[in-house]
Amino acid sequence: MEALLLGVGLLLGAYVLVYYNLVKAPPCRGLASLRGRTAVVTGANSGIGKMTALELARRGARVVLACRSRERGEAAAFDLRQESGNNEVIFMTLDLASLASVRAFATVFLSSEPRLDILIHNAGISSCGRTREPFNLLLRVNHIGPFLLTHLLLPRLKTSAPSRVVVVSSAAHRRGRLDFTRLDRPVVGWRQELRAYADSKLANVLFARELATQLEGTGVTCYAAHPGPVNSELFLRHVPGWLRPLLRPLAWLVLRAPRGGAQTPLYCALQEGIEPLSGRYFANCHVEEVLPVARDDRAAHRLWEASRKLAGLGPGEDAEFDEDSQPEDPGTPSSPSSPHPEGPTASELYPSPQSSTGRSTVTRRIPVKDELEPQAC
Ligand SMILES: NC(=O)c1ccc[n+]([C@@H]2O[C@H](COP(=O)([O-])OP(=O)(O)OC[C@H]3O[C@@H](n4cnc5c(N)ncnc54)[C@H](OP(=O)(O)O)[C@@H]3O)[C@@H](O)[C@H]2O)c1
């Protein structure tokens, strides 16, 4: 009996340790009001994306849910309007697997929305399911679609600057290895899918890095965010039906709720003063060091060029990246977030020549070794 009690006690203790160190997400506490700002969240009809959109709506933003299914997207928009009390939550169709759909979304968005302050690339897949495409579907949905969307929406991000792009990546990027000779090869079988998922998440980290370089001085900053291990449908929907009832309770115990998973993407979208960390990777609301493979600037640039081709970008469509820094509209608010009350911000710690007015236009890359002190988020 004593041995049994001891065993139960040890198990409980181990669970509490795991829960507080790995499962529980630090909350993003910024109090920023987002009234007058517009955000786009892709894949916002479920999981992390839905919780991210809810928080943005609660703060008063106009939120566009960019989802592939009209039915699920409209239903989510209805839920979020009810829960947030904000009527400015709308659905627009976006299927990242189709470049034509990405272009159609951009056309509709640009013709109807005068601002874009926050773009969150959240949508993602971990498997091709039963879909058979003649290209790498995981790379298409998780990286190429978002790459094209960023290009097409960039004019609006620039005129709304300071604005932010958040790419929801994953710690799985550490297992990624990009093979440029077969980037777009179709993926077959679960082993190849696991590998392709990790590769696509590495592409997210390298994309954020190169995008930050390309956008230096524009007032548009970008971040790669790892949401943590989250209890969503991402992997579960591909598990055989008979196994799901067994895995669900386990997932509930050891994984974060989607609301917890939304905290780091929200931190990257809202936290005041992280602009000098543009291009970096965040987890648990902190900037994190990445492996050499994920901070390889040559690979990041090579991926950029390969992605342009795979996204079918024409020569003129990269013009936004060739321009010099755009002057900012003096009437625009200084950052998506209100000033953080505690201590100096990163912009104050690392002032740039442009920041003499105190406005958050700094996009200078902080060298990898220089880390900011962890901030409360
Ligand atoms: N869950 C985790 O543990 C975890 C860990 C690290 C990173 N992440 C990342 O977090 C992000 C969100 O994942 P989640 O866990 O919240 O999973 P989820 O609940 O499965 O949400 C994924 C969302 O992406 C959408 N989506 C899928 N394919 C799409 C397409 N072709 N076009 C547009 N939207 C599409 C889905 O729409 P439908 O409902 O129509 O399928 C869904 O709304 C992903 O990028 C994932 O890689 C998750």
Side-chain angles (χ1 to χ4, degrees):
M1 185 62 183
E2 272 174 18
L4 184 70
L5 282 177
L6 185 68
V8 170
L10 279 176
L11 267 179
L12 271 176
Y15 177 68
V16 168
L17 268 180
V18 168
Y19 181 81
Y20 281 100
N21 286 303
L22 298 176
V23 179
K24 196 170 183 290
C28 177
R29 292 189 208 282
L31 295 171
S33 163
L34 296 176
R35 232 159 268 286
R37 306 260 168 69
T38 300
V40 169
V41 184
T42 67
N45 59 281
S46 67
I48 298 163
K50 191 172 180 188
M51 290 300 106
T52 305
L54 175 61
E55 189 54 36
L56 297 172
R58 280 196 176 131
R59 289 164 190 250
R62 177 171 171 78
V63 186
V64 177
L65 313 185
C67 311
R68 63 177 162 174
S69 150
R70 171 167 292 279
E71 197 188 342
R72 292 193 288 274
E74 296 277 20
F78 178 81
D79 289 351
L80 295 182
R81 284 193 293 266
Q82 298 278 103
E83 273 189 65
S84 65
N86 177 348
N87 279 329
E88 301 262 313
V89 180
I90 60 164
F91 156 78
M92 285 188 196
T93 307
L94 170 70
D95 181 353
L96 289 161
S98 154
L99 299 179
S101 170
V102 176
R103 285 184 178 277
F105 173 89
T107 304
V108 172
F109 182 89
L110 293 173
S111 63
S112 59
E113 300 294 328
R115 296 192 64 85
L116 179 54
D117 301 276
I118 299 169
L119 170 59
I120 303 192
H121 292 299
N122 162 81
I125 52 172
S126 63
S127 158
C128 305
R130 296 205 177 124
T131 315
R132 292 285 166 263
E133 298 285 2
F135 50 80
N136 180 341
L137 184 63
L138 279 110
L139 190 78
R140 171 70 69 87
V141 173
N142 295 356
H143 168 64
I144 300 294
F147 176 88
L148 177 60
L149 188 60
T150 309
H151 273 70
L152 300 175
L153 299 185
L154 193 60
R156 200 59 94 248
L157 284 162
K158 279 185 170 178
T159 54
S160 308
S163 52
R164 295 187 182 182
V165 180
V166 180
V167 189
V168 180
S169 179
S170 166
H173 82 269
R174 294 187 196 125
R175 295 194 307 274
R177 295 288 175 271
L178 293 181
D179 179 348
F180 287 99
T181 61
R182 49 174 67 183
L183 265 189
D184 203 30
R185 215 175 68 146
V187 173
V188 186
W190 65 270
R191 273 177 221 275
Q192 281 189 21
E193 284 181 343
L194 276 182
R195 164 83 198 263
Y197 179 74
D199 292 351
S200 71
K201 292 292 142 181
L202 173 60
N204 291 159
V205 180
L206 291 173
F207 172 48
R209 198 171 172 85
E210 179 69 14
L211 187 62
T213 305
Q214 301 267 352
L215 292 177
E216 246 179 65
T218 61
V220 186
T221 54
C222 52
Y223 311 89
H226 168 49
V230 177
N231 184 9
S232 71
E233 290 300 307
L234 186 71
F235 293 101
L236 268 184
R237 67 161 63 90
H238 303 293
V239 163
W242 60 268
L243 199 55
R244 265 177 245 165
L246 296 174
L247 288 182
R248 273 193 200 285
L250 194 66
W252 183 82
L253 270 178
V254 301
L255 301 178
R256 274 176 195 174
R259 193 196 190 101
Q263 299 309 307
T264 300
L266 284 166
Y267 178 90
C268 292
L270 303 176
Q271 180 63 43
E272 166 81 7
I274 61 169
E275 292 84 355
L277 298 172
S278 183
R280 302 284 300 273
Y281 171 83
F282 288 72
N284 289 318
C285 298
H286 288 297
V287 65
E288 254 195 19
E289 187 60 280
V290 288
L291 297 174
V293 71
R295 56 182 143 92
D296 178 342
D297 285 328
R298 281 173 61 183
H301 190 71
R302 198 170 170 196
L303 174 67
W304 182 277
E305 291 304 321
S307 305
R308 283 189 57 212
K309 290 194 186 109
L310 293 176
L313 274 173
E317 289 183 299
D318 245 0
E320 285 292 328
F321 289 98
D322 301 333
E323 288 170 15
D324 289 326
S325 308
Q326 298 271 310
E328 283 184 41
D329 174 2
T332 49
S334 67
S335 152
S337 157
S338 65
H340 198 259
E342 302 121 22
T345 64
S347 338
E348 288 158 0
L349 289 167
Y350 298 94
S352 90
Q354 299 119 298
S355 67
S356 55
T357 57
R359 310 209 29 233
S360 301
T361 55
V362 191
T363 53
R364 181 170 59 86
R365 170 83 51 79
I366 296 289
V368 168
K369 275 184 287 176
D370 295 349
E371 291 288 355
L372 288 177
E373 284 303 308
Q375 299 174 24
C377 64

